[in-house]
Amino acid sequence: MQIPRLIVSFHTSEVRVAARVIDERRPYLAFSTSEADVSVSTTGGGPVTDADLALAREIYSAAARYLADCERLHAEQSATGKAIDQTAA
């Protein structure tokens, strides 16, 4: 028997991101669009474990890399766009 697998991709800047704590004991991270909601919370919805901390650190690291890549590509695209604009003028 194969375990069901769900893949969710957001290809829009219209994603809302929130991080909260439920009942002062259960943190969660949520990504939402008008089409979908995805959330990550602690193991079994219970107390924070070492595994939860490891996952939170992975998410933090991946988000930092995503930000760095977005900033780098945006800067490169802006520089290329300006070079094209100056050549056309």
Side-chain angles (χ1 to χ4, degrees), residues 24-75:
E24 293 301 317
R25 65 178 191 87
R26 186 172 150 213
Y28 75 95
L29 175 65
F31 298 86
S32 302
T33 70
S34 58
E35 297 87 23
D37 294 308
V38 177
S39 63
V40 177
S41 188
T42 53
T43 305
V48 178
T49 65
D50 289 341
D52 296 322
L53 290 173
L55 176 60
R57 289 182 183 114
E58 278 187 63
I59 291 169
Y60 180 85
S61 179
R65 284 191 312 272
Y66 178 71
L67 173 60
D69 288 340
C70 285
E71 289 175 334
R72 176 182 54 80
L73 291 169
H74 184 264

Side-chain angles (χ1 to χ4, degrees), residues 14-31:
E14 301 298 319
V15 177
R16 294 172 303 283
V17 180
R20 294 193 172 80
V21 177
I22 300 170
D23 297 331
E24 293 301 317
R25 65 178 191 87
R26 186 172 150 213
Y28 75 95
L29 175 65
F31 298 86

